[in-house]
Amino acid sequence: MSRLNQELIFFRRIISLFHMVAQGKKSMLTCIIVEGEFCVGCDGSVLLDSTANNKAEKVAVPNQSLTGFDVIDEIKEKLEETCPGVVSCADILALAARDSVSFQFKKSMWEVLTGRRDGRISRESEALSNIPSPFFNFTTLKQSFANKSLTLHDLVVLSGGHTIGAQCKTLSDNATTVAMDPGSPLSFDSHYYKAVNRKQGLFQSDAALLTNLESRKIVNELLDQDGFFTEFGQSMKRMGAVEVLTGSNGEIRKKCNVIN
């Protein structure tokens, strides 16, 4: 068995353990990868802390409701103890997002390709300019996804990630969190699309999905839960391939919150 395969088996065991302590953070792992990749690609840059001379992506307003960074940091620490310098933080994040969702089904919900390397740059300004705003209308949403070579179908499908209980800070009260899918806050399912159809989506961007005939059709198709599961996995695979660093580009960080 290869060194990488041994690491990935060990990783799956760690995720199973951390799921028990990170139950409320599983949606955040998916949000971290989606929002992180909209900044500069799937390079783990969203995991980096700010420095004295730079404000990192994680402090940007769109990312301030994200949690779960500590789970990623601890997984990396355990992996480095057994086999250092093999699994990147970018791969850990992609795998953790998949396995935290998959845990309730006791099987992998989609394939995650590995081999990513970690980026060395993380800027608040890139998060602000690249992450789709909850106030976007349909046209702006579609363009933001197209900028990352993602389709209208990906836009509607990945919006369904809100169904796994992700919470966000309100603009009027930073101490308050609001479930994006109050009808099904801890389960990965297609309930989000029922809420959107009932015009109960939390954001303007949720309501925007009904303002276009094609996207509205996709919303209705994704009410079928098995169909949603399949399509979500496919879109996450495409998202996970956005602007990936490989070869000699980037690095494999020793700690996910700081560059080497």
Side-chain angles (χ1 to χ4, degrees):
M1 182 179 295
S2 72
R3 189 183 186 194
L4 178 57
N5 285 337
Q6 288 176 332
E7 282 291 271
L8 294 180
I9 290 172
F10 181 60
F11 173 87
R12 298 293 291 277
R13 292 173 182 166
I14 294 172
I15 276 290
S16 295
L17 292 174
F18 274 102
H19 185 274
M20 304 307 294
V21 298
Q23 178 75 24
K25 298 178 182 178
K26 64 180 180 177
S27 61
M28 291 298 102
L29 297 174
T30 305
C31 286
I32 290 171
I33 191 173
V34 170
E35 297 194 5
E37 286 166 13
F38 263 94
C39 293
V40 292
C42 192
D43 67 350
S45 57
V46 71
L47 302 173
L48 289 171
D49 289 339
S50 297
T51 65
N53 300 315
N54 177 67
K55 288 186 176 181
E57 293 171 29
K58 65 168 62 172
V59 304
V61 171
N63 289 334
Q64 287 180 3
S65 62
L66 295 179
T67 60
F69 295 107
D70 56 325
V71 175
I72 300 298
D73 290 341
E74 291 185 60
I75 290 171
K76 178 63 171 176
E77 181 180 351
K78 295 296 184 183
L79 287 171
E80 288 295 302
E81 287 175 0
T82 62
C83 201
V86 176
V87 183
S88 69
C89 297
D91 274 350
I92 290 173
L93 183 53
L95 290 161
R98 190 273 309 276
D99 288 352
S100 63
V101 169
S102 300
F103 188 87
Q104 73 179 79
F105 303 102
K106 307 212 182 314
K107 66 178 182 178
S108 294
M109 297 300 286
W110 64 87
E111 179 187 12
V112 175
L113 299 179
T114 56
R116 301 170 184 81
R117 289 172 65 85
D118 298 318
R120 299 187 179 98
I121 298 172
S122 181
R123 299 189 182 100
E124 177 189 25
S125 59
E126 292 185 338
L128 293 171
S129 62
N130 283 284
I131 295 175
S133 166
F135 304 107
F136 276 179
N137 60 27
F138 176 79
T139 301
T140 314
L141 276 175
K142 184 178 178 181
Q143 186 59 55
S144 69
F145 273 70
N147 290 343
K148 297 297 180 180
S149 300
L150 296 169
T151 66
L152 168 60
H153 192 267
D154 293 321
L155 159 61
V156 181
V157 171
L158 290 172
S159 295
H162 292 174
T163 196
I164 47 176
Q167 295 183 324
C168 66
K169 293 179 181 177
T170 65
L171 295 178
S172 59
D173 182 359
N174 287 338
T176 302
T177 56
V178 181
M180 292 185 187
D181 185 7
S184 181
L186 292 177
S187 296
F188 182 72
D189 53 35
S190 60
H191 186 271
Y192 165 80
Y193 298 102
K194 295 179 182 178
V196 169
N197 261 337
R198 295 170 184 162
K199 299 182 179 180
Q200 295 174 345
L202 186 62
F203 301 127
Q204 181 175 324
S205 58
D206 295 325
L209 300 181
L210 299 181
T211 63
N212 173 270
L213 289 177
E214 187 176 354
S215 62
R216 187 187 307 169
K217 179 182 177 182
I218 297 170
V219 166
N220 287 323
E221 290 172 350
L222 294 174
L223 290 170
D224 174 71
Q225 189 150 279
D226 289 338
F228 168 59
F229 291 165
T230 299
E231 296 303 323
F232 189 82
Q234 294 298 318
S235 289
M236 285 296 288
K237 285 173 65 176
R238 285 189 286 273
M239 171 71 80
V242 170
E243 299 172 23
V244 168
L245 299 178
T246 58
S248 61
N249 295 317
E251 64 184 14
I252 295 181
R253 289 183 215 139
K254 297 177 182 177
K255 295 183 177 181
C256 289
N257 64 326
V258 294
I259 61 174
N260 293 341

